[in-house]
Amino acid sequence: MTHALAVVAHFDDAAIWAGSAIRRTRTLGWEWTIVCTCAAEESRRRYFLEFCAELGARGIALEFIDHPDGDPFSRNSRVAMAARVAAAVGGAAVDWVFSHSSDAAGEYGAHPNHAEAAQTVADLIASCALQPRG
């Protein structure tokens, strides 16, 4: 079985950027865990968790600050985010890891929360706290 992890910043990012791919790969038997780092508001957390349930994915909503301006990690702790994502994933090995673009321009322009999610994934892989298979 293929295990995939997506780490996204916002409640709707997984739906926007990977919803169709998640739905399609679920039909092929993939197991998904989706972590949303900035889901502090109840309505956004609920939307995210309902989206995950609809797709049959394990959804994990964290409560870091959603901030569209400023530098990455200027309002959220890099160390705390990495620790919370690592704890949420529980050290499970995964076959595929998806997140936001690590390019400075992002997917559609720079967004500090997107950069935080991408950097958190990179940090976890570098520290071996997240271990993609083979």
Side-chain angles (χ1 to χ4, degrees):
M1 178 174 302
T2 301
H3 295 274
L5 169 67
V7 179
V8 298
H10 304 109
F11 72 103
D12 57 354
D13 288 344
I16 292 168
W17 304 114
S20 295
I22 294 167
R23 184 177 300 279
R24 173 71 175 124
T25 56
R26 283 285 298 139
T27 67
L28 299 173
W30 285 34
E31 295 292 326
W32 279 87
T33 299
I34 307 169
V35 178
C36 175
T37 59
C38 300
E41 296 174 3
E42 178 61 33
S43 61
R44 292 178 176 205
R45 188 170 43 259
R46 185 173 50 251
Y47 174 96
F48 170 73
L49 294 173
E50 287 173 2
F51 164 77
C52 291
E54 168 97 11
L55 292 180
R58 177 178 170 226
I60 300 166
L62 303 178
E63 298 182 0
F64 289 94
I65 298 168
D66 180 1
H67 61 101
D69 300 315
D71 294 325
F73 299 110
S74 62
R75 298 187 188 156
N76 292 312
S77 165
R78 185 173 184 162
V79 171
M81 189 174 287
R84 294 280 313 278
V85 172
V89 174
V94 295
D95 299 292
W96 292 94
V97 181
F98 301 88
S99 191
H100 294 281
S101 174
S102 60
D103 187 90
E107 293 91 10
Y108 59 83
H111 191 299
N113 294 130
H114 293 183
E116 290 170 352
Q119 189 59 58
T120 295
V121 168
D123 290 349
L124 292 174
I125 291 170
S127 70
C128 297
L130 179 61
Q131 298 184 15
R133 295 182 209 188

